[in-house]
Amino acid sequence: MTGIKEKSILIEQRGAVALLTLNRAKALNAINDSIRHGLSEALRNVDEDPAVGAIVIVGAGERGFSVGADIKEIRSHDSPIATRRRLIPTSWIEVLDSTRKPVIAAIHGFCLGGGMELALACDLRVVAIGSEFALPETTLGLIPGGGGTQRLPRLIGLSRALDLLLTGERIDADEAFRIGIANRLAESSSEALAEALRIAEVLSTRPRAAISYVKEAARAGLDMDLASGLKLEKSLFALLTSSPDRAEAAAAFRDKRKPIFTGA
Ligand code: HXC
């Protein structure tokens, strides 16, 4: 898999981590159909690949993660049916919701519109100082179409989300960290990538089922009432109690040695 180029997405395997690069640096990684389809396909492939335990997404070039949808590609004269046909299969962001492995965005520079929505759909965001976030869609006569109106309020609360959604104003990395968009800050783009890869590497060594179930419980639970969420947690917990990796973790603790997990 190393170094294979899939249209506008580069896929590189580093140990048990898959690094996906949005590869349109000249257009600041604006998301065109090629990126949409390439990213969906790449995510499905690496999620299925047993050699991969965690995923990092990064933008190519010095200037940013992504400036969002390719504005030059937004065709205002398409019929509603043609537009719907074009947008429906572009479940490029929704694919992240069904990805079982943890996905970390390593963000630098511009993180705007659909680029920010992509980042919001990831599990964690490591952000370089100098990054700028905004959802400027209303200034283009649109609203976010990649989950921004739904994921941002869930992540940072309705009040702060509406501020960003209504004004379209940019915020910097410090503010993104303060309000809970950024999980961690890094001094530079290379450090953001290094930190994202480091976290991914750690996660890739953990018992795979536990990592996938904890993500499922937290994410799915957010859309449930508390009682249903707790029920889901209990059933996933119960499944793990009989897993070989859990038994191995306990045995390794008893024997004072490093556990050898098999992902079972
Ligand atoms: C297509 C884009 C682009 C975009 C930049 N480029 N943003 N191409 N779509 N969204 C291209 C420029 O045309 C230019 O190509 C090159 O990238 C460099 O950009 P410049 O504008 O020359 O750079 P600069 O002056 O530094 O300004 C950077 C910028 C500005 C502030 C990021 O480009 C900008 O405001 N871009 C639009 C950002 C935006 O509104 N994004 C939201 C999109 S709507 P050339 O060939 O001319 O050199 C959205 C909806 C999501 O995302 C829906 C969900 C699916």
Side-chain angles (χ1 to χ4, degrees):
M1 201 165 73
T2 305
I4 292 175
K5 184 175 175 184
E6 291 190 6
K7 297 183 181 172
S8 301
I9 304 293
L10 301 177
I11 308 177
E12 194 186 326
Q13 195 167 331
R14 301 199 180 183
V17 175
L19 174 61
L20 308 186
T21 303
L22 311 177
N23 191 34
R24 270 194 96 199
K26 274 195 186 139
L28 311 184
N29 301 315
I31 298 159
N32 59 4
D33 282 342
S34 174
I35 288 210
R36 267 185 214 108
H37 295 136
L39 189 60
S40 304
E41 198 185 331
L43 281 167
R44 285 195 193 96
N45 287 343
V46 296
D47 202 35
E48 287 302 318
D49 187 341
V52 172
I55 301 158
V56 171
I57 302 179
V58 71
E62 293 301 309
R63 301 203 56 210
F65 181 73
S66 170
V67 287
D70 190 317
I71 297 173
K72 295 166 192 166
E73 251 189 18
I74 298 177
R75 294 182 286 266
S76 56
H77 299 299
D78 272 357
S79 74
I81 288 172
T83 304
R84 189 164 192 266
R85 191 187 311 123
R86 197 166 66 80
L87 289 179
I88 292 288
T90 58
S91 55
W92 58 291
I93 290 183
E94 279 87 347
V95 170
L96 282 162
D97 293 327
S98 55
T99 302
R100 289 161 300 174
K101 292 165 186 171
V103 185
I104 305 172
I107 297 164
H108 70 290
F110 293 118
C111 186
L112 310 178
M116 177 164 167
E117 295 179 279
L118 170 59
L120 293 175
C122 294
D123 298 310
L124 298 173
R125 285 154 292 281
V126 182
V127 173
I129 297 294
S131 298
E132 294 183 58
F133 294 82
L135 290 171
E137 282 87 344
T138 56
T139 67
L140 295 163
L142 291 169
I143 65 170
T149 63
Q150 303 306 305
R151 288 198 180 91
L152 193 60
R154 282 169 169 79
L155 192 65
I156 64 172
L158 182 61
S159 174
R160 282 176 171 146
L162 275 175
D163 192 335
L164 290 172
L165 288 162
L166 286 168
T167 67
E169 282 174 10
R170 287 194 214 159
I171 57 168
D172 64 17
D174 286 326
E175 179 68 355
F177 182 70
R178 194 182 70 79
I179 64 178
I181 292 173
N183 293 92
R184 302 183 190 202
L185 292 179
E187 286 301 318
S188 64
S189 56
S190 58
E191 285 185 29
L193 178 57
E195 175 67 355
L197 288 168
R198 190 194 64 75
I199 300 168
E201 205 260 323
V202 169
L203 298 183
S204 73
T205 65
R206 298 268 162 82
R208 294 272 169 90
I211 290 292
S212 142
Y213 287 12
V214 81
K215 166 173 161 161
E216 181 183 341
R219 280 183 165 274
L222 211 57
D223 297 327
M224 295 174 182
D225 60 88
L226 182 62
S228 307
L230 290 172
K231 206 168 162 187
L232 172 67
E233 183 189 81
K234 261 195 202 84
S235 60
L236 294 175
F237 179 89
L239 278 177
L240 289 170
T241 56
S242 59
S243 80
D245 274 352
R246 192 211 61 83
E248 166 62 7
F253 181 76
R254 265 194 319 269
D255 303 345
K256 299 187 189 303
R257 62 172 171 81
K258 275 190 106 174
I260 301 164
F261 296 123
T262 60

